[in-house]
Amino acid sequence: DRFGAERSDAEQGPDENGETMPSMDELMARYESPELTNDLREGDLVTGTVVQISYNGVMVDVGTKSEGLIPKGELEAIRDSIKVGDEIKVVVWRIESEDGYLLLSKRQADVEAAWEHILDIQDSGEILEARVVEAVKGGLLVDLGLYGQGFVPASHVSVRRPRNLNKYMGQTLRLVVIEVERKRKRVVLSHRLVVENERAAERDVTMARLREGQVRRGVVRRITDFGAFIDLGGVDGLLHVSELSWKRVDSPHEELKVGEPLEVMVLKLNLG
């Protein structure tokens, strides 16, 4: 009819800004498109339900007209951890066609979840353990699993900046997260802060128990020309060269080694 013709012309003709208006069929097609109905885009993290597990992969209902597919390349890694009916998080890896057919990735979703977790670890101050895999200019690289490699600046490796970073190769360090740059996929950590915090707690206990005349077991932490500093449990005491031995000692370096256990007597306390 005449009204219908006028409406059709209005839909297809230009609007007041000179842009062509879409037809009713185009609008309906857009409305019904799974991609636009759910506003899914490549890279989106979504929750879906496992509806089928087969040789070719895993079919997941993510709320679109057709299920998305986790391809068989990821199947071996997840076969034992999921079953039909499970709700899982997946990332829209690729939109294959105009009808919104989705390729999904659980591996990438796990990585995204891991980054959320590392941010939580930073906020909570939780201590984690990681193995040193490489000594580089300016610090150490440690293996953080799903997060890739983390970086420990040389100033955060120990209480005193180490001269030789290679000695840490293969060691497992206790670390706290001090910086996360998600876009650059970079995690910065500190071992020094863990040691300092633990020593501070230990120091409070030791100071409360120290008495002049006590014989205590300590560990040699640092050697100088005038003696050595002995760790008594979060507290360093000075062992003067004159108190090292009944015999004359020319150099404390000849008598002691860093890390050596030693029994000493507390001669004097100055708690101030």
Side-chain angles (χ1 to χ4, degrees):
D1 58 22
R2 180 173 176 273
F3 177 77
E6 288 177 353
R7 182 179 57 185
S8 178
D9 290 340
E11 289 171 349
Q12 296 180 11
D15 63 10
E16 60 184 4
N17 296 319
E19 297 179 351
T20 302
M21 296 289 288
S23 68
M24 184 61 71
D25 289 341
E26 289 173 337
L27 287 172
M28 289 301 294
R30 292 185 189 182
Y31 178 78
E32 293 174 356
S33 167
E35 177 187 349
L36 293 175
T37 299
N38 295 276
D39 200 26
L40 291 183
R41 297 291 185 269
E42 292 181 1
D44 283 354
L45 177 66
V46 296
T47 300
T49 303
V50 177
V51 295
Q52 184 181 355
I53 302 174
S54 68
Y55 170 79
N56 291 319
V58 180
M59 301 300 295
V60 181
D61 179 4
V62 291
T64 58
K65 271 189 171 182
S66 58
E67 290 87 6
L69 174 69
I70 301 175
K72 64 180 180 181
E74 293 190 17
L75 186 59
E76 289 304 317
I78 63 177
R79 188 192 298 273
D80 296 334
S81 62
I82 62 171
K83 62 183 182 298
V84 173
D86 282 354
E87 280 196 351
I88 60 172
K89 290 187 180 295
V90 290
V91 164
V92 179
W93 174 37
R94 195 160 66 233
I95 299 175
E96 283 288 292
S97 60
E98 292 181 359
D99 63 2
Y101 177 69
L102 305 176
L103 280 180
L104 308 172
S105 173
K106 186 175 185 302
R107 182 186 298 132
Q108 188 60 37
D110 290 343
V111 170
E112 292 297 322
W115 280 101
E116 292 294 335
H117 185 226
I118 202 76
L119 288 169
D120 291 340
I121 289 176
Q122 181 185 15
D123 292 339
S124 67
E126 178 184 340
I127 296 174
L128 51 84
E129 295 186 351
R131 187 173 63 87
V132 177
V133 294
E134 189 177 355
V136 296
K137 184 178 180 180
L140 301 172
L141 295 181
V142 296
D143 182 9
L144 293 178
L146 280 174
Y147 318 112
Q149 290 184 338
F151 179 63
V152 184
S155 60
H156 280 272
V157 170
S158 66
V159 175
R160 292 181 178 85
R161 191 182 181 102
R163 295 180 180 179
N164 180 18
L165 291 172
N166 289 314
K167 70 179 183 179
Y168 291 94
M169 283 292 297
Q171 291 187 25
T172 297
L173 300 180
R174 302 173 71 237
L175 304 157
V176 290
V177 178
I178 57 176
E179 186 179 350
V180 177
E181 296 182 37
R182 186 166 178 173
K183 289 184 178 179
R184 296 176 58 189
K185 297 191 181 302
R186 184 171 183 261
V187 181
V188 183
L189 309 107
S190 174
H191 177 61
R192 188 197 78 205
L193 292 179
V194 174
V195 174
E196 287 179 345
N197 290 337
E198 290 176 345
R199 280 180 59 81
E202 190 179 15
R203 179 169 58 244
D204 292 341
V205 174
T206 300
M207 292 296 284
R209 295 175 179 176
L210 276 179
R211 299 289 185 273
E212 292 182 2
Q214 278 182 345
V215 175
R216 298 185 67 103
R217 191 171 182 83
V219 177
V220 179
R221 281 180 54 84
R222 186 160 61 97
I223 304 172
T224 69
D225 291 337
F226 55 83
F229 288 93
I230 312 299
D231 181 6
L232 299 177
V235 177
D236 286 349
L238 172 62
L239 176 62
H240 193 267
V241 62
S242 62
E243 296 292 339
L244 272 175
S245 174
W246 289 106
K247 65 180 182 180
R248 176 181 172 85
V249 176
D250 295 323
S251 172
H253 295 276
E254 296 176 358
E255 297 289 324
L256 300 172
K257 293 181 180 179
V258 173
E260 176 185 355
L262 201 66
E263 279 198 339
V264 292
M265 176 179 283
V266 181
L267 297 182
K268 186 177 180 181
L269 287 175
N270 184 349
L271 300 182

